Amino acid sequence: MQLKHTKIVKRMKAIITIVLFLILGLSYQGAKAQFKDDSSLDRTTFTLLLTNMSTDGAIALQTSNYNIEDNSTIVKSMTLDLKGFNLTNTSVYSCTLTDGKWFALKNSTGSGIFSGKIKFGGTTSVLKVLSSEVLGSGFSIDGDGASGKIEIGDGLTSLTQSLSTTQCNGKVSLITVRSGATLNVSM
């Protein structure tokens, strides 16, 4: 009886050890987040999609309408296809784009828009617009950030984007309009 009990205890310890290693492995995967939040990370489908990406320039597909959480930071260059859904945040806080990185928005289907606030983390941060009117009327650049850049178009696709100078808050140092793109600016 004692021998059988000892074998059961050893098996239980082995199972617990395996489970702990799996948990640590999954925690490590989360540490490679491309789009990271503060410690109260909301594990929605969209957030999980972005945190599982680990390379610069990757393309994510948005899977639902989504509100960006407080203290969100884009830490790797990436293209986000809105796929007809909306990406927003409130005017209380901004989504920060790390210096030296770019964040491209496109919409391959439907009429999804980004209507949130971006804060440039430095002068080499770039917000790229790759689809027509992907920046909504609620979009703005945070006036407390650095002066970054906006790039309209990719030089291959015809698109139009409207932008008000008040949306830029004096924090856009350069707007580049690529071949085939049109920028309508209102003052």
Side-chain angles (χ1 to χ4, degrees):
M1 185 67 135
Q2 179 67 21
L3 182 60
K4 189 175 183 178
H5 178 68
T6 303
K7 285 183 179 180
I8 292 172
V9 169
K10 285 183 180 181
R11 284 186 190 152
M12 292 295 287
K13 285 182 181 179
I15 291 171
I16 291 171
T17 301
I18 290 170
V19 170
L20 287 174
F21 278 120
L22 287 173
I23 291 171
L24 287 173
L26 290 173
S27 297
Y28 172 74
Q29 290 297 323
K32 297 190 300 183
Q34 176 164 340
F35 185 98
K36 69 177 185 177
D37 260 289
D38 59 3
S39 59
S40 62
L41 183 66
D42 179 16
R43 294 284 183 180
T44 64
T45 303
F46 179 66
T47 303
L48 283 172
L49 175 68
L50 292 176
T51 57
N52 286 330
M53 297 169 55
S54 60
T55 58
D56 281 324
I59 297 177
L61 301 178
Q62 191 171 347
T63 58
S64 65
N65 290 329
Y66 187 74
N67 291 317
I68 303 170
E69 291 89 359
D70 193 4
N71 298 319
S72 297
T73 302
I74 298 170
V75 297
K76 287 186 180 276
S77 295
M78 63 176 290
T79 300
L80 178 64
D81 187 343
L82 294 174
K83 285 287 200 178
F85 294 105
N86 298 319
L87 182 61
T88 62
N89 56 10
T90 68
S91 59
V92 176
Y93 58 88
S94 303
C95 176
T96 301
L97 176 54
T98 301
D99 194 26
K101 302 299 179 184
W102 52 264
F103 181 50
L105 289 161
K106 74 179 203 174
N107 189 44
S108 62
T109 58
S111 58
I113 59 170
F114 177 83
S115 59
K117 188 185 281 189
I118 292 281
K119 180 188 282 188
F120 290 125
T123 58
T124 59
S125 300
V126 181
L127 175 64
K128 296 183 178 189
V129 175
L130 302 179
S131 294
S132 286
E133 303 301 343
V134 75
L135 298 178
S137 61
F139 160 77
S140 68
I141 299 296
D142 191 323
D144 293 333
S147 290
K149 301 171 185 174
I150 296 178
E151 189 175 294
I152 310 295
D154 60 6
L156 304 170
T157 309
S158 177
L159 68 93
T160 301
Q161 177 64 54
S162 301
L163 194 60
S164 165
T165 55
T166 58
Q167 291 175 294
C168 298
N169 289 313
K171 292 297 181 178
V172 178
S173 60
L174 178 68
I175 298 178
T176 303
V177 181
R178 300 279 181 210
S179 177
T182 302
L183 175 63
N184 296 320
V185 179
S186 59
M187 307 255 180

